[in-house]
Amino acid sequence: DMPRFLPFESISRTDQPIALIAQGRFALYGGDTVQANEFLKQVKGLNPTMPEITLLEAEIRLKEGNRDAAQQLLTLASSNLSSPDWIRKMADALLTQIQ
């Protein structure tokens, strides 16, 4: 139901990188890591320093079973003081789950 509440096309007209992050998360939550990685690649090409990228990539790596890579990314996201608070909190919560 996510696309009904977050119209990706409308978001894309305002902020394409955020729309790609949202689409990547939607794909990931639907279990499609290939599609999630494709959206991740696209957003990295547009704005490679977005803090949301690190969190999404960590979640994808977790879903793929690459716990070590996920843990490194989550630690990075958690310790980045310039990241929004929600990203640091979510990274901390995921780190707690996998430790």
Side-chain angles (χ1 to χ4, degrees):
D1 290 338
M2 188 173 166
R4 281 195 257 164
F5 300 104
L6 287 174
F8 299 134
E9 191 174 308
S10 296
I11 296 169
S12 183
R13 286 192 294 266
T14 305
D15 190 337
Q16 185 162 5
I18 286 295
L20 290 168
I21 291 287
Q23 288 174 291
R25 295 183 81 78
F26 179 68
L28 178 64
Y29 293 164
D32 189 345
T33 58
V34 173
Q35 187 67 39
N37 272 307
E38 182 56 37
F39 286 119
L40 180 66
K41 180 180 173 184
Q42 289 178 43
V43 76
K44 281 182 173 182
L46 290 175
N47 188 351
T49 61
M50 284 181 73
E52 293 87 352
I53 289 173
T54 306
L55 182 61
L56 177 58
E57 186 169 3
E59 291 178 286
I60 292 169
R61 299 304 160 249
L62 272 175
K63 186 79 165 181
E64 293 172 335
N66 191 341
R67 184 181 155 126
D68 292 337
Q71 190 168 10
Q72 289 175 359
L73 289 162
L74 290 169
T75 300
L76 181 64
S78 176
S79 63
N80 184 352
L81 298 178
S82 65
S83 290
D85 193 44
W86 73 268
I87 291 175
R88 291 193 314 274
K89 286 181 180 180
M90 192 162 177
D92 285 339
L94 288 170
L95 276 169
T96 299
Q97 286 178 12
I98 65 173
Q99 291 177 343

